[in-house]
Amino acid sequence: MLVRVLAALACLLPVSGHTNPPIGKNVIVINGATIVHPSQNGAAALEPGATIVIQGDRIQLAGAGITLELPQGATIIDGRGKWVAPGLVDSHVHFFQSGNLYTRPDAADFNGVVPYAEEVARNKARLDATFKVWLASGVTGVVDIGGPFWNFDARDRAAASPAAPRMAVAGPLISMIDDPPLDLGDPPIIRIDSVEAARALVARQLARNTDYIKVWFIHQKGDDLAAQEAIVKAAGDAAHAAGKKFAVHATELLVAKAALRAGADLLVHSVFDQPVDDEFIALAKRNQALYCPTLFVMQGYDLALSNQWRATPEELKRADPEILAAMDDLNEMPADKRPEAVSKLMAAAKMPDPPRIAMENLKKLSDAGIPIVMGTDAGNIGTLHGPSIHREMRLMQESGLTPLEILRSATTNGAKALGLEGKTGAVAAGMYADLVILDADPLADSANLARVYRTIKGGVVYDPKALMESIR
Ligand SMILES: [Zn+2]
């Protein structure tokens, strides 16, 4: 164990200007670890032989060549043979959905088996457990990019919880179409057909201090794209005027370009109908837009609804056991209870498996310098909160992104999606102590991001195993 002297102790003092509590209280020291710096390239991305000192919720010191006397009472974590990366961020999740079969009656109507109202009530009651599965997967930040107004309560709950990721949220989606099966009185998707109505719904969300305004930009044959774009732009302008970020769901090239013209800061899905072109790239650059490829989600629906969904090793370990247990309910379900077909909307959104064009677009945009953010759309049928990040990152790696680029998307760029750039997403002095300690090198293979030894969020250390045991 590293016990050397004094030199750097002074560095424990100044950071934020106010007087720190005596050294030794709430201090965590990780020593002998390799720090991963996802914002760096080449050899600079790894810093072996490093010490990390955490006091309260912040990193006080991080780097190689630090010598210090171990403060009395400090918690020591032996970092030898371990890698310390910034905590991961999933930039696309939905807490009103669980990932099970009953969670999207607009896509597949299982109301005859589990009424949708029961499913949503379950999801609300289960929030604390859902928060924990995220931490168990090394995720210290999530963006819930659209849901009912109770999303804002979920954000408050996460902020007050002893074990939850940081959360940014959007309220109800400003939508081009109705989605009645999801309307229980506080719908996650609201049809808006005028600029005035868009501004009014934005105002209601601003009153709840929303982090994002989100548009569900569905463009169907015969729709007037210019009229739709005007509504989208009104929503974006109102968000920006209030200093909020603007996210858009737009999956076709034509529509995604309209979304960018309307001011999108975050595209939450891939363009999957055709290759992106120079105009798209120029618009994305103009907006400094983040691009979330969300590659796995449609396969999740296909697999689960055809009863071919099988848990990955990560899901067996780190998915909510209640959800896992229900994933093969189709086995037991009488034929007359099964929905005959998925909805027309689902059929229209169907991507090939694997989503080739989306994967090629991801590589092209990453190479063009568009900031990519990792996001799963967790909560959709077949995409479980927490460990589904590994299904997503596997597809990102198959798209040709390097492990470093993937980790950057889930940390450096994820911090931007969270609105916490400069506060989280790096292992450096002054940042929140949001970290994941890994048993294997995440830059050798993204799959090593599943080898979580500990997750630290806001200076609190979590053992994934203990987190999972606490929700059984
Ligand atoms: Zn989504």
Side-chain angles (χ1 to χ4, degrees), residues 92 94 145 214 249 268-269 377 380:
H92 187 176
H94 300 281
I145 203 69
K214 158 97 173 280
H249 167 126
V268 296
H269 285 274
D377 216 353
N380 279 282

Side-chain angles (χ1 to χ4, degrees), residues 109-158:
D109 185 358
F110 288 94
N111 267 295
V113 185
V114 175
Y116 182 56
E118 226 170 79
E119 158 67 9
V120 171
R122 198 208 72 85
N123 296 342
K124 255 191 216 182
R126 192 74 176 158
L127 274 175
D128 291 340
T130 310
F131 294 153
K132 287 180 177 177
V133 300
W134 282 109
L135 289 176
S137 286
V139 175
T140 56
V142 292
V143 182
D144 184 322
I145 203 69
F149 268 94
W150 64 261
N151 254 9
F152 299 113
D153 304 326
R155 180 184 58 185
D156 292 347
R157 192 173 182 99

